[in-house]
Amino acid sequence: MATWDDVRRLALALPETTEGSSAQAGGPVWRVRDAMFAWERTLRRTDVQALEVLGAPVPADPILAARVPDLTVKEALVAAAPDVYFTIPHFDGYKAVLVKLPSIPESELSELLIEAWLCRAPKKTAKQWLAERPGAGPASAD
């Protein structure tokens, strides 16, 4: 069961990451330089209504949003583990996935945050970080 403390610890372990807050995002955000890669995402009234219209469950748990490399990855995560990952109409066409935080194992959370960070980190920073950690990150992160 992952917590915000786990997100904070894992995200801040990545180079050049800072934590801040955003009224627009709904809570804490994690950025690499100025690029947001993970954030707390409070469901708005319109999000809840959209989920209800779709017949989808409305999570009561804390929700983490994280960047993904592309929409195919997003769709694959949601399809493979709908008890952990989901999306809302507001995120249609947006390369980010929503996570029911207490449902994600810490090891999977770590992988998700690394992937999100790699999506937004400067290429030189990401390449150096990956070079120092053989086997870390996606095979296509060159």
Side-chain angles (χ1 to χ4, degrees):
M1 179 169 153
T3 66
W4 289 117
D5 287 337
D6 295 325
V7 175
R8 183 171 288 111
R9 176 178 47 79
L10 294 167
L12 291 175
L14 297 165
E16 300 184 30
T17 295
T18 58
E19 180 178 347
S21 62
S22 167
Q24 182 181 11
V29 300
W30 292 270
R31 290 181 167 89
V32 54
R33 297 215 184 153
D34 288 330
M36 189 166 61
F37 67 90
W39 61 99
E40 180 179 3
R41 178 53 161 83
T42 304
L43 291 180
R44 297 173 178 101
R45 183 176 40 92
T46 54
D47 301 327
V48 171
Q49 290 170 342
L51 288 171
E52 289 171 344
V53 166
L54 294 170
V58 178
D61 300 324
I63 298 167
L64 172 71
R67 292 294 296 237
V68 292
D70 57 50
L71 296 176
T72 303
V73 171
K74 174 183 178 173
E75 292 165 6
L77 288 170
V78 171
D83 54 322
V84 176
Y85 301 100
F86 71 106
T87 190
I88 54 177
H90 181 76
F91 275 44
D92 286 353
Y94 187 64
K95 296 184 291 187
V97 69
L98 299 173
V99 181
K100 300 168 193 168
L101 192 57
S103 299
I104 190 170
E106 187 177 331
S107 60
E108 195 171 331
L109 174 63
S110 178
E111 290 175 25
L112 179 72
L113 290 171
I114 289 169
E115 184 74 39
W117 180 85
L118 287 169
C119 290
R120 305 294 280 166
K123 289 182 190 260
K124 183 177 178 182
T125 303
K127 197 171 210 173
Q128 180 180 353
W129 187 84
L130 286 168
E132 294 169 358
R133 289 158 190 80
S140 62
D142 300 317

Coordinates of all heavy atoms in Angstrom, one line a residue, residues 9-54:
R9 N 9.4 10.3 -1.3 CA 10.7 9.7 -1.1 C 11.2 9.2 -2.5 O 12.4 9.5 -2.9 CB 10.6 8.5 -0.1 CG 11.9 7.8 0.0 CD 11.8 6.7 1.1 NE 10.6 5.8 0.9 CZ 10.5 4.8 0.1 NH1 11.5 4.6 -0.8 NH2 9.4 4.1 0.0
L10 N 10.4 8.5 -3.2 CA 10.8 8.0 -4.5 C 11.1 9.1 -5.6 O 12.0 9.0 -6.3 CB 9.8 7.0 -5.0 CG 9.7 5.7 -4.2 CD1 8.4 4.9 -4.6 CD2 10.9 4.8 -4.3
A11 N 10.2 10.0 -5.6 CA 10.3 11.1 -6.6 C 11.5 12.0 -6.3 O 12.3 12.3 -7.2 CB 9.0 12.0 -6.6
L12 N 11.7 12.3 -5.0 CA 12.8 13.2 -4.7 C 14.2 12.6 -4.8 O 15.2 13.2 -4.8 CB 12.6 13.8 -3.3 CG 11.4 14.8 -3.2 CD1 11.2 15.3 -1.8 CD2 11.7 16.0 -4.1
A13 N 14.2 11.2 -4.9 CA 15.5 10.5 -5.1 C 16.0 10.7 -6.6 O 17.1 10.4 -6.9 CB 15.3 9.0 -4.8
L14 N 15.1 11.2 -7.5 CA 15.5 11.3 -8.9 C 16.2 12.7 -9.0 O 15.7 13.7 -8.4 CB 14.2 11.2 -9.7 CG 13.6 9.8 -9.7 CD1 12.2 9.8 -10.3 CD2 14.5 8.8 -10.4
P15 N 17.2 12.8 -9.9 CA 18.0 14.0 -10.0 C 17.1 15.2 -10.4 O 16.2 15.1 -11.2 CB 19.0 13.7 -11.1 CG 19.1 12.2 -11.1 CD 17.7 11.7 -10.7
E16 N 17.5 16.3 -9.9 CA 16.9 17.6 -10.2 C 15.4 17.7 -10.0 O 14.7 18.5 -10.6 CB 17.2 18.0 -11.7 CG 18.7 18.1 -11.9 CD 19.1 18.6 -13.3 OE1 18.3 19.3 -13.9 OE2 20.1 18.2 -13.8
T17 N 14.9 16.8 -9.1 CA 13.5 16.8 -8.8 C 13.2 17.7 -7.6 O 13.9 17.8 -6.6 CB 13.0 15.4 -8.5 OG1 13.1 14.6 -9.6 CG2 11.5 15.4 -8.0
T18 N 12.1 18.5 -7.7 CA 11.6 19.3 -6.6 C 10.2 19.0 -6.4 O 9.5 18.6 -7.3 CB 11.8 20.8 -7.0 OG1 11.1 21.1 -8.2 CG2 13.3 21.2 -7.2
E19 N 9.8 19.3 -5.2 CA 8.4 19.2 -4.8 C 7.8 20.6 -4.6 O 8.4 21.4 -4.0 CB 8.2 18.4 -3.5 CG 6.8 18.2 -3.1 CD 6.7 17.3 -1.9 OE1 7.6 16.7 -1.4 OE2 5.5 17.3 -1.3
G20 N 6.6 20.8 -5.1 CA 5.9 22.0 -4.9 C 4.4 21.7 -4.7 O 4.0 20.6 -4.4
S21 N 3.7 22.8 -4.9 CA 2.2 22.6 -4.8 C 1.6 23.4 -5.9 O 2.2 24.2 -6.5 CB 1.7 23.1 -3.4 OG 1.9 24.5 -3.3
S22 N 0.4 22.9 -6.2 CA -0.3 23.6 -7.3 C -1.8 23.5 -7.0 O -2.4 22.4 -6.9 CB 0.0 22.8 -8.6 OG -0.9 23.2 -9.6
A23 N -2.4 24.7 -7.0 CA -3.9 24.7 -6.8 C -4.6 24.1 -7.9 O -5.6 23.4 -7.8 CB -4.3 26.2 -6.6
Q24 N -4.0 24.2 -9.1 CA -4.6 23.7 -10.3 C -4.6 22.1 -10.3 O -5.6 21.5 -10.6 CB -3.9 24.2 -11.6 CG -4.6 23.6 -12.9 CD -3.8 24.1 -14.1 OE1 -2.7 24.7 -14.0 NE2 -4.4 23.9 -15.3
A25 N -3.5 21.6 -9.9 CA -3.3 20.1 -9.8 C -4.1 19.6 -8.6 O -4.5 18.4 -8.6 CB -1.9 19.7 -9.7
G26 N -4.3 20.3 -7.6 CA -5.0 19.9 -6.4 C -4.2 19.5 -5.2 O -4.7 19.0 -4.2
G27 N -2.9 19.6 -5.3 CA -2.0 19.2 -4.1 C -0.6 19.3 -4.5 O -0.2 20.0 -5.4
P28 N 0.2 18.4 -3.9 CA 1.6 18.4 -4.2 C 1.9 18.0 -5.7 O 1.2 17.2 -6.3 CB 2.2 17.4 -3.3 CG 1.1 16.5 -2.8 CD -0.1 17.3 -3.0
V29 N 3.0 18.5 -6.2 CA 3.5 18.2 -7.6 C 5.0 17.9 -7.5 O 5.7 18.5 -6.7 CB 3.2 19.3 -8.6 CG1 1.7 19.5 -8.7 CG2 3.9 20.6 -8.3
W30 N 5.5 17.1 -8.4 CA 6.9 16.8 -8.5 C 7.3 17.1 -9.9 O 6.7 16.8 -10.8 CB 7.2 15.3 -8.1 CG 6.9 15.1 -6.7 CD1 7.8 15.2 -5.6 CD2 5.7 14.7 -6.0 NE1 7.2 15.0 -4.4 CE2 5.9 14.7 -4.7 CE3 4.4 14.5 -6.5 CZ2 4.9 14.3 -3.8 CZ3 3.4 14.1 -5.6 CH2 3.6 14.1 -4.3
R31 N 8.4 17.9 -9.9 CA 8.9 18.4 -11.2 C 10.4 18.1 -11.3 O 11.1 18.1 -10.4 CB 8.8 19.9 -11.3 CG 7.4 20.5 -11.4 CD 7.4 22.0 -11.5 NE 6.1 22.5 -11.9 CZ 5.1 22.9 -11.1 NH1 5.3 22.7 -9.8 NH2 4.0 23.4 -11.5
V32 N 10.8 17.9 -12.6 CA 12.2 17.8 -12.9 C 12.4 19.1 -13.7 O 11.8 19.3 -14.7 CB 12.6 16.5 -13.7 CG1 11.8 16.3 -14.9 CG2 14.1 16.5 -14.0
R33 N 13.3 19.9 -13.1 CA 13.5 21.3 -13.6 C 12.1 21.9 -13.5 O 11.5 21.9 -12.4 CB 14.1 21.4 -14.9 CG 15.5 20.8 -14.9 CD 16.5 21.5 -15.8 NE 17.8 20.9 -15.7 CZ 18.6 21.0 -16.7 NH1 18.3 21.6 -17.8 NH2 19.8 20.4 -16.6
D34 N 11.5 22.4 -14.5 CA 10.2 23.0 -14.5 C 9.1 22.1 -15.0 O 7.9 22.5 -15.1 CB 10.2 24.3 -15.2 CG 10.9 25.4 -14.4 OD1 11.0 25.3 -13.2 OD2 11.5 26.3 -15.1
A35 N 9.4 20.9 -15.4 CA 8.5 20.0 -16.0 C 7.8 19.0 -15.0 O 8.5 18.2 -14.4 CB 9.2 19.2 -17.1
M36 N 6.5 19.2 -14.8 CA 5.8 18.3 -13.9 C 5.7 16.9 -14.4 O 5.3 16.7 -15.6 CB 4.4 18.9 -13.7 CG 3.6 18.3 -12.6 SD 2.1 19.3 -12.2 CE 1.2 19.3 -13.7
F37 N 6.0 15.9 -13.6 CA 5.9 14.5 -14.0 C 5.0 13.7 -13.1 O 4.6 12.6 -13.5 CB 7.3 13.9 -14.1 CG 8.1 13.7 -12.8 CD1 7.9 12.5 -12.1 CD2 8.9 14.7 -12.4 CE1 8.6 12.4 -10.9 CE2 9.6 14.5 -11.2 CZ 9.5 13.4 -10.5
A38 N 4.7 14.2 -11.9 CA 3.7 13.5 -11.1 C 3.1 14.5 -10.2 O 3.7 15.5 -9.8 CB 4.5 12.4 -10.2
W39 N 1.8 14.2 -9.8 CA 1.1 15.2 -9.0 C -0.1 14.5 -8.4 O -0.6 13.5 -8.9 CB 0.7 16.4 -9.8 CG -0.3 16.2 -10.9 CD1 -1.6 16.3 -11.0 CD2 0.1 15.7 -12.3 NE1 -2.1 16.0 -12.2 CE2 -1.1 15.6 -13.0 CE3 1.3 15.4 -12.9 CZ2 -1.1 15.2 -14.4 CZ3 1.3 15.0 -14.2 CH2 0.1 14.9 -14.9
E40 N -0.6 15.1 -7.3 CA -1.8 14.6 -6.7 C -3.0 15.2 -7.5 O -2.9 16.3 -7.9 CB -2.0 15.1 -5.2 CG -3.3 14.7 -4.6 CD -3.4 15.2 -3.2 OE1 -2.6 15.9 -2.7 OE2 -4.5 14.8 -2.6
R41 N -3.9 14.3 -7.8 CA -5.0 14.8 -8.7 C -6.4 14.5 -7.9 O -6.8 13.4 -7.8 CB -5.0 14.0 -10.0 CG -6.1 14.4 -11.0 CD -6.3 15.9 -11.2 NE -7.0 16.2 -12.4 CZ -8.3 16.3 -12.5 NH1 -9.1 16.0 -11.5 NH2 -8.9 16.7 -13.7
T42 N -6.9 15.6 -7.4 CA -8.2 15.5 -6.8 C -9.3 15.4 -7.9 O -9.2 16.1 -8.9 CB -8.5 16.7 -5.9 OG1 -7.4 16.8 -5.0 CG2 -9.8 16.7 -5.2
L43 N -10.2 14.5 -7.7 CA -11.3 14.4 -8.7 C -12.3 15.6 -8.5 O -12.7 15.9 -7.4 CB -12.1 13.1 -8.6 CG -11.4 11.9 -9.0 CD1 -12.2 10.6 -8.8 CD2 -10.9 12.0 -10.4
R44 N -12.5 16.3 -9.5 CA -13.5 17.4 -9.5 C -14.9 16.9 -9.7 O -15.1 15.7 -10.1 CB -13.1 18.4 -10.6 CG -11.8 19.0 -10.4 CD -11.3 19.9 -11.5 NE -10.0 20.5 -11.3 CZ -8.9 20.0 -11.8 NH1 -8.8 19.0 -12.6 NH2 -7.7 20.6 -11.5
R45 N -15.9 17.7 -9.4 CA -17.3 17.3 -9.5 C -17.6 16.8 -10.9 O -18.2 15.8 -11.1 CB -18.2 18.5 -9.2 CG -19.7 18.2 -9.2 CD -20.5 19.4 -8.8 NE -20.1 20.6 -9.3 CZ -20.5 21.2 -10.4 NH1 -21.4 20.6 -11.2 NH2 -20.0 22.4 -10.8
T46 N -17.0 17.5 -12.0 CA -17.3 17.0 -13.3 C -16.6 15.7 -13.6 O -17.1 14.9 -14.4 CB -16.8 18.1 -14.3 OG1 -15.4 18.4 -14.1 CG2 -17.6 19.4 -14.3
D47 N -15.5 15.4 -13.0 CA -14.8 14.1 -13.1 C -15.7 13.0 -12.6 O -15.9 12.0 -13.2 CB -13.4 14.1 -12.5 CG -12.5 15.2 -13.0 OD1 -12.5 15.5 -14.2 OD2 -11.7 15.7 -12.2
V48 N -16.2 13.3 -11.4 CA -17.0 12.3 -10.7 C -18.3 12.0 -11.6 O -18.7 10.9 -11.8 CB -17.4 12.7 -9.3 CG1 -18.5 11.8 -8.7 CG2 -16.2 12.8 -8.4
Q49 N -18.9 13.1 -12.0 CA -20.1 12.9 -12.9 C -19.8 12.1 -14.1 O -20.6 11.3 -14.5 CB -20.7 14.3 -13.2 CG -21.3 15.0 -12.1 CD -21.6 16.5 -12.4 OE1 -21.1 17.1 -13.4 NE2 -22.5 17.1 -11.6
A50 N -18.6 12.4 -14.8 CA -18.3 11.7 -16.0 C -18.1 10.2 -15.7 O -18.5 9.3 -16.5 CB -17.0 12.3 -16.6
L51 N -17.4 9.9 -14.6 CA -17.2 8.5 -14.2 C -18.6 7.8 -13.9 O -18.8 6.6 -14.4 CB -16.3 8.4 -13.0 CG -14.8 8.7 -13.2 CD1 -14.1 8.7 -11.9 CD2 -14.2 7.6 -14.2
E52 N -19.4 8.5 -13.3 CA -20.8 7.9 -13.0 C -21.5 7.6 -14.3 O -22.2 6.6 -14.4 CB -21.5 8.8 -12.1 CG -21.0 8.8 -10.6 CD -21.6 9.9 -9.7 OE1 -22.3 10.8 -10.3 OE2 -21.4 9.8 -8.5
V53 N -21.5 8.6 -15.2 CA -22.2 8.4 -16.5 C -21.6 7.2 -17.3 O -22.3 6.4 -17.9 CB -22.0 9.7 -17.4 CG1 -22.4 9.4 -18.8 CG2 -22.9 10.8 -16.8
L54 N -20.3 7.0 -17.2 CA -19.6 5.8 -17.8 C -19.9 4.5 -17.0 O -19.5 3.5 -17.5 CB -18.1 6.1 -17.9 CG -17.7 7.2 -18.8 CD1 -16.2 7.5 -18.7 CD2 -18.0 6.9 -20.3

